[in-house]
Structure formats: C-alpha cells, structure tokens
C-alpha cells in the first residue's frame, strides 16, 4: 500500500479556482463537450452533432470553457479545431464519468428506480 503523505490544506485561492472549474463542469452540456474532446479534437459542427446540441449553444459553451482555460483551439483553414489541453482535466472527467457509468450498470434495478424517484 502507498505511503500517506501529510499535505497542508489548499489555499483559499486554489479552492476558489477549483470550485470555478467544477462549476463549469457541473453543466451536463459542458461536461459532455469536455468528455467528447477528451476522446479527440473536433470542430464545433461535429461536436454539436455528437453532443446533440444546437450549434450556437455549443459555441457558447466552448467560449466559456476556452475563457476558463479548460479548452483551447487552433485554426485549420476556415475551421476552429477545439481540444482539451489539460491532461489533468481529461483524467478527472474520464475517471469520474467512467466510474459513474460502471456503477450505473452495477446497481440493481429496484435500487435504481428508488434513486430515480428521489428516495
């Protein structure tokens, strides 16, 4: 088993920044966009098709993610190609979504129905 490292609590600034990142990823649409981009770069049209969003809405989400530094873009001819340039964000999204997906397949149907009913 690995050694436990005694770490100091993060600063208020770090916690504020982390909360902002999690806030951006709290939107299912933005989380889906980051998930899709974690699989490979894409232009806005392909992203909109993949995530099932309207082109203007996906563009707005990309602008917010880009402003926060979670997503970057480069020009390729007339198109903007978007990608996630932060491997740590990719890891967080992949692990979280992957674990929740695995759990959703393991929960017995009656328990899942209770959860969906808010019980």
């Amino acid at each position: 088993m690995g050694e436990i490292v005694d770490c100091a609590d993060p600063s208020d600034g770090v916690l504020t920044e982390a909360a902002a990142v999690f806030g951006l990823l709290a939107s299912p649409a933005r989380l889906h966009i980051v998930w899709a981009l974690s699989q490979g770069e894409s232009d806005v049209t392909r992203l909109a098709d993949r995530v099932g969003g309207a082109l203007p809405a996906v563009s707005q989400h990309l602008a917010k993610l880009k402003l926060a530094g979670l997503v970057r873009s480069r020009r390729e001819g007339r198109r903007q190609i978007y990608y996630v340039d932060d491997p740590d964000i990719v890891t967080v999204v992949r692990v979280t979504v992957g674990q929740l997906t695995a759990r959703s397949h393991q929960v017995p149907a009656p328990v899942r129905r209770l959860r969906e009913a808010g019980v």
Side-chain angles (χ1 to χ4, degrees):
M1 196 160 215
E3 182 180 324
I4 297 175
V5 179
D6 184 27
C7 294
D9 286 346
S11 69
D12 288 344
V14 168
L15 291 171
T16 299
E17 189 175 342
V21 168
F22 285 121
L24 277 169
L25 294 177
S27 158
R30 284 192 291 272
L31 185 58
H32 196 173
I33 289 167
V34 173
W35 171 263
L37 291 175
S38 77
Q39 310 299 308
E41 56 187 31
S42 180
D43 66 14
V44 69
T45 304
R46 282 191 300 159
L47 263 177
D49 287 344
R50 179 165 179 182
V51 302
L55 199 62
V58 172
S59 291
Q60 286 181 356
H61 288 305
L62 284 167
K64 288 180 182 180
L65 292 166
K66 193 173 176 183
L67 187 63
L70 299 179
V71 168
R72 296 184 74 183
S73 68
R74 64 178 165 71
R75 185 159 293 286
E76 196 174 89
R78 302 170 102 189
R79 301 180 314 149
Q80 284 287 109
I81 304 298
Y82 293 90
Y83 57 97
V84 179
D85 192 35
D86 186 336
D88 294 330
I89 293 298
V90 170
T91 300
V92 167
V93 169
R94 283 185 175 172
V95 168
T96 303
V97 172
Q99 288 295 321
L100 291 171
T101 300
R103 282 187 206 157
S104 73
H105 296 298
Q106 295 171 352
V107 176
V111 174
R112 191 176 313 127
R113 282 194 296 273
L114 287 173
R115 282 186 186 166
E116 290 169 355
V119 177

